[in-house]
């Protein structure tokens, strides 16, 4: 018997106008963790959908345990032991964990339409134990945190292989994208366990993760597999080059462009409390990037919103350049020279139904007005300037925001604040989440540049690495309070583990 | 930033329907493109006019068309006002009833107060609109509930004030009667609506308010987080809507020289129909003022056309109801309605 559990040979898939996959061949061996990495639009998601039976390839073959297969749909693939763990989870919230794990796959746990609960729960408990999850099969699914539901989802994927002679193939679609640092660590352990009983495909666009967890990795770009490497053969710079098609310029985080912060305090927060955070104090200097790190519900998002006037404070004071301020709404904060990029780009940051131009001038429309009148020629000129300054890839300012890639949308949202000549503080809530690596690097370079120009940046980082590498100082939050503070400079960064320790 | 060898954008996400490629640029049909610039309602208008004039060749006579334009004025005011509210993603179910109520009040006050009565009615209706908006924010109740309640309120007040009978305006009628006169052979009422439409279109284009109105309708959270005072925008929309309803009440007195409770109530559905037939999205954010005027003309021609064809007026609301559903079916953005699969 060959060592290959699952493979595709020469598959292509065409969508209206684009070739999403072009002659791709991938093989997954038994008890192996295979990484699929590529930027958005590289085709990894399409490939995953073919592997999971959601899409059928236009050409090429799919082989499972040596037999050519043609999956009609995802249920068909699951019956044969190929299961997908979705990024946006597929569990039903209002039924128990045990029911979810065996949903549609109950077999003899249902007799004459009646559940045999003890059997169902016993089996579910076995699956959960196998991946070291503490969740009880009786729990109603909606009561679980995202990370725990993901464990249930993985247990469910494991259960699909039951009754087949072969170990299952489990496809993980960007499993870490909404997990916190500690949960990611836990997921790594689970994947390690999984490997003993299954073959795993791990899709990600985070380079560090793929190197951490995979035995072998396929790198995709423009619908093709551009390289295949084992874990030991490759490092981050090469991975970057293969994925993006250009060299990782001296530093991903533009660290050599970091300048010392200025002495003057831009924003002083003293004893600030509000919903989700208590007694928070810190100084934010001019030209400083201050990173806020914390797990979910650490209160950092709530704090960021309160500083922008989008949430109420109950105690404490904020001064801006020495003057006490109290923002009752974002409108007040915007007037005072504060910008805020929300974590949810598509639903809170960008107005997808408007043009690039309209998005860019939405907050500081007065910059393109003469008296009460919007001057369209000035608007066009201003917007075009920012489009070229930030290298925003868009046919024109009139283009709909919805047709831009995530990275370019985020640049437009940034430009919305940069339009303000009096911009003093920029609050960035995970500004690089979901962006391509290339686009991330652009955002990092931009943040550096803004700091050099004296703007103060409060960064709610998406990952530990990002938060540490970008910062002049790192502040950790836990349960709504400041739990640690670290100075940070190129060459003298705080240790990951030290920072993590203060977060959990 | 070193984007040197990618500056020609070869590997930026090309159009694709793969969800992986961030957001797929919507593949847009010719119909929806034409829809954007208001071609669709204009074509519909031409088609209906053609259809009716084939049935009755005298329809296209200038006398007839002028009468038609005249008839569209009250409906026009209601629809224009409603456009602002619908563009914020809300709805006002009470503005036609408010018109009836305004007319009743005006009929009561006009003989004694003259021009002052008109000012009272207009300021009053403006405040009523702002109040309706405030109630929504303060009590966190959706607009259709608040305005549905208001509908009952104005109906009851109209009945009470008018003692459920028709009030004739004998004195000071000349203060308003000129509105339904003609200048150079053109109906003043229609010219008024036309001028108002042009002013509002200009405001939408050149004032910040127009931008903000659309932003609020598209995504209220994102608008607020861009520093837009969304509450003010919504209050302004409801204020304008009610102000125009009050103005429509003035026109009603000018047209009928009388008021009774419920005299304009039947325009509620046609006014909403005019807005959506014009192509303003019921979900908010998408639409415009000019296209609402086209919608008003479509509805007006349709009313007359239905008369000509011989549909009894009692059965005509069936058509407006069907029309509203059909227009929304065509224009609704289903991506907003369906959840992510």
């Amino acid at each position: 018997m060959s060592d290959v559990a699952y493979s595709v040979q020469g598959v292509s898939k065409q969508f209206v106008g684009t070739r999403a996959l072009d002659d791709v061949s991938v093989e997954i061996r038994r008890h192996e963790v295979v990484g699929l990495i590529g930027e958005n639009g590289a085709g990894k998601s399409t490939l995953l959908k073919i592997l999971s039976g959601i899409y059928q390839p236009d050409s090429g073959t799919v082989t499972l345990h040596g037999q050519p297969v043609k999956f009609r749909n995802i249920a068909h693939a699951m019956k044969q032991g190929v299961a997908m763990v979705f990024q946006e989870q597929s569990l039903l919230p209002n039924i128990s964990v045990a029911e979810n794990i065996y949903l549609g796959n109950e077999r003899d746990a249902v007799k004459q339409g009646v559940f045999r609960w003890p059997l169902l729960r016993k089996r579910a408990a076995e699956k959960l134990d196998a991946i070291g999850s503490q969740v009880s099969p009786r729990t109603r699914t909606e009561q679980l945190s995202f990370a725990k539901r993901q464990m249930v989802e993985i247990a469910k994927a494991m259960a699909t292989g039951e009754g087949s002679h072969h170990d299952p193939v489990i496809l993980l679609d960007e499993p870490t994208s909404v997990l916190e640092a500690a949960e990611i660590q836990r997921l790594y352990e689970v994947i390690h366990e999984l490997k003993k009983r299954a073959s795993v495909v791990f899709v990600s666009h985070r380079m560090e993760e793929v190197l951490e967890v995979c035995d072998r990795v396929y790198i995709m770009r423009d619908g093709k597999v551009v390289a295949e490497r084992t874990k030991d053969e490759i490092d981050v710079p090469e991975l970057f080059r293969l994925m993006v098609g250009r060299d990782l310029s001296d530093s991903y985080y533009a660290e050599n462009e970091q300048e010392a912060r200025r002495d003057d305090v831009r924003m002083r927060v003293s004893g600030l409390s509000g919903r989700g955070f208590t007694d928070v104090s810190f100084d934010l200097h001019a030209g400083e990037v201050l990173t806020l790190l914390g797990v979910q519900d650490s209160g950092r998002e709530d704090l960021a919103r309160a500083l922008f006037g989008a949430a109420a404070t109950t105690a404490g004071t904020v001064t801006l350049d020495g003057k006490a301020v109290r923002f009752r709404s974002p409108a007040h904060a915007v007037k005072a020279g504060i910008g805020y990029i929300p974590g949810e780009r598509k639903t809170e940051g960008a107005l997808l139904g408007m043009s690039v131009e309209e998005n860019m001038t939405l907050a500081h429309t007065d910059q393109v007005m003469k008296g009460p009148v919007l001057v369209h020629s000035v608007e066009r000129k201003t917007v075009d300037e920012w489009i070229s300054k930030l290298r925003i890839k868009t046919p024109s300012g009139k283009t709909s925001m919805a047709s831009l890639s995530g990275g370019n949308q985020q640049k437009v949202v940034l430009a919305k604040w940069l339009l303000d000549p009096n911009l003093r503080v920029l609050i960035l809530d995970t500004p690089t989440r979901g962006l391509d690596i290339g686009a991330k690097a652009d955002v990092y370079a931009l943040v550096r540049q803004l700091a050099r120009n004296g703007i103060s940046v409060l960064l709610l980082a998406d990952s530990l690495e990002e938060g540490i590498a970008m910062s002049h100082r790192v502040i950790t939050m836990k349960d709504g309070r400041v739990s640690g503070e670290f100075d940070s400079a190129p060459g003298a960064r705080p240790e990951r583990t030290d920072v993590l320790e203060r977060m959990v | 930033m070193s984007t040197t060898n990618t500056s020609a954008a070869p590997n930026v996400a090309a159009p694709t329907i793969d969800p992986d490629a961030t957001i797929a640029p919507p593949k847009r049909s010719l119909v929806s493109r034409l829809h954007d610039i208001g071609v669709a309602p204009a074509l519909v208008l031409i088609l209906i006019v053609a259809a009716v004039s084939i049935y009755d060749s005298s329809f296209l006579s200038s006398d007839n068309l002028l009468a038609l334009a005249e008839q569209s004025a009250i409906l026009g005011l209601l629809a224009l006002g409603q456009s602002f509210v619908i563009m914020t993603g809300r709805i006002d179910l009470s503005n036609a009833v408010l018109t009836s109520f305004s007319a009743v009040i005006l009929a009561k006050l006009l003989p004694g107060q003259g021009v002052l009565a008109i000012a009272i009615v207009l300021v009053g209706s403006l405040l009523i609109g702002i109040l309706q908006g405030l109630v929504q924010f303060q009590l966190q109740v959706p607009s259709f509930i608040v305005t549905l309640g208001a509908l009952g309120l104005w109906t009851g007040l109209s009945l009470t004030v008018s003692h459920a009978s028709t009030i004739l305006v004998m004195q000071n009628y000349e203060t308003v009667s000129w509105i339904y006169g003609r200048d150079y052979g053109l109906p003043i009422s229609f010219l008024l609506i036309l001028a108002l439409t042009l002013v509002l279109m200009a405001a939408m284009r050149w004032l910040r308010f127009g931008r903000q109105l659309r932003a609020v309708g598209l995504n209220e959270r994102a608008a607020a987080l861009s520093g837009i005072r969304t509450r003010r925008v919504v209050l302004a929309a409801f204020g304008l809507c009610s102000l125009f309803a009050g103005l429509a009440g003035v026109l009603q007195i000018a047209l009928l020289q009388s008021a009774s409770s419920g005299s304009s109530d039947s325009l509620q559905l046609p006014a909403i129909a005019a807005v959506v037939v014009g192509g303003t999205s019921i979900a908010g954010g998408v639409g415009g003022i000019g296209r609402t005027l086209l919608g008003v003309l479509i509805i007006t021609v349709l009313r007359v056309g239905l008369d000509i064809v011989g549909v009894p007026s009692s059965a005509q609301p069936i058509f407006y109801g069907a029309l509203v559903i059909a227009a929304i079916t065509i224009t609704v953005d289903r991506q907003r309605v369906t959840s992510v699969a």
Side-chain angles (χ1 to χ4, degrees), chain A residues 25 33 57 124 145 152 202 212 347 354 454 472 474 479 496 502:
Chain A
S25 299
V33 180
S145 70
V152 174
F202 181 89
E212 172 96 28
T347 56
M354 281 189 156
H472 290 82
V474 175
D479 301 330
R496 274 182 57 137
R502 296 299 180 94

Side-chain angles (χ1 to χ4, degrees), chain A residues 196-265:
Chain A
K196 296 176 188 160
R197 306 150 189 271
S199 308
V200 180
V201 176
F202 181 89
V203 174
S204 179
H205 58 260
R206 294 186 186 163
M207 299 183 288
E208 294 92 351
E209 278 177 15
V210 168
L211 293 184
E212 172 96 28
V213 81
C214 300
D215 301 313
R216 206 154 50 84
V217 52
Y218 288 95
I219 299 118
M220 298 190 69
R221 194 170 77 223
D222 299 336
K224 294 191 181 80
V225 168
V226 290
E228 178 220 341
R229 296 280 191 281
T230 64
K231 184 184 191 165
D232 309 321
E233 289 171 349
I234 194 161
D235 54 13
V236 168
E238 196 196 353
L239 202 52
F240 181 95
R241 187 180 59 73
L242 289 167
M243 273 174 74
V244 183
R246 62 173 149 108
D247 280 323
L248 181 57
S249 58
D250 50 300
S251 155
Y252 184 35
Y253 296 110
E255 287 187 78
N256 54 345
E257 289 176 44
Q258 178 166 343
E259 276 180 10
R261 70 182 197 201
R262 303 182 188 177
D263 289 334
D264 34 336
V265 174

Side-chain angles (χ1 to χ4, degrees), chain B residues 27-322:
Chain B
K27 194 79 183 149
R28 310 200 35 237
S29 67
L30 185 65
V31 175
S32 79
R33 268 166 217 259
L34 290 176
H35 172 76
D36 268 5
I37 51 172
V39 170
L43 278 177
V44 171
L45 180 61
I46 293 168
L47 272 176
I48 296 182
V49 168
V52 177
S53 53
I54 288 169
Y55 200 88
D56 177 359
S57 54
S58 69
F59 178 75
L60 280 180
S61 71
S62 62
D63 273 357
N64 201 11
L65 289 181
L66 289 176
L68 202 79
E70 209 155 46
Q71 278 184 37
S72 67
I74 294 177
L75 179 68
L77 279 172
L78 289 172
L80 288 177
Q82 188 73 261
S83 303
F84 288 110
V85 169
I86 289 185
M87 263 191 276
T88 69
R90 292 170 171 77
I91 198 157
D92 186 349
L93 297 176
S94 68
N95 65 338
V97 180
L98 184 59
T99 296
S100 306
F101 180 52
S102 309
V104 167
I105 297 292
L106 188 62
K108 281 273 188 189
L109 295 182
L110 197 58
Q113 313 289 338
V115 180
L116 184 62
I118 299 176
I120 291 171
V121 163
L122 293 184
V123 172
S125 50
L126 174 69
L127 293 178
I128 281 171
I130 294 173
L131 190 70
Q132 286 187 349
L134 276 175
V135 170
Q136 291 170 44
F137 281 107
Q138 290 304 323
L139 305 182
Q140 297 283 307
V141 187
S143 59
F144 79 93
I145 296 294
V146 173
T147 56
L148 193 61
L151 182 147
L153 192 63
W154 310 139
T155 308
L157 282 174
S158 301
L159 282 164
T160 312
V161 173
S162 68
H163 302 295
S165 62
T166 303
I167 307 167
L168 267 172
V169 179
M170 304 307 285
Q171 281 170 297
N172 281 340
Y173 173 56
E174 66 283 356
T175 325
V176 292
S177 61
W178 59 271
I179 300 173
Y180 274 92
R182 295 199 174 172
D183 244 347
Y184 306 106
L186 295 170
I188 295 173
S189 57
F190 186 70
L191 292 178
L192 210 71
I193 301 303
L194 206 60
L196 194 60
T197 306
L198 290 175
V199 168
L200 294 174
M201 283 172 79
M204 285 296 288
R205 183 167 161 74
W206 280 294
L207 294 188
R208 183 161 28 179
F209 176 70
R211 248 344 130 72
Q212 299 188 334
L213 189 72
R214 285 180 47 228
V216 167
L218 282 170
N219 186 336
E220 208 161 326
R221 279 192 72 74
L225 291 175
S226 296
I228 292 177
R229 295 169 195 267
T230 52
R231 178 187 294 227
R232 281 191 194 175
V233 173
V234 173
L235 294 188
F238 274 90
L240 280 172
C241 182
S242 290
L243 173 65
F244 287 6
L247 194 58
V250 177
L251 260 69
Q252 190 207 306
I253 296 289
L255 183 67
L256 303 177
Q257 206 185 344
S258 70
S260 61
S261 65
S263 41
S264 287
D265 292 6
S266 65
L267 291 177
Q268 189 68 64
L269 187 56
I272 293 171
V275 177
V276 296
V277 166
T280 293
S281 161
I282 199 80
V286 181
I289 296 297
R291 44 174 66 241
T292 291
L293 188 65
L294 288 174
V296 168
L297 294 177
I298 290 172
I299 298 294
T300 310
V301 174
L302 202 65
R303 284 171 82 181
V304 176
L306 290 173
D307 282 338
I308 292 175
V309 178
V311 178
S313 60
S314 53
Q316 290 184 8
I318 298 172
F319 284 85
Y320 306 131

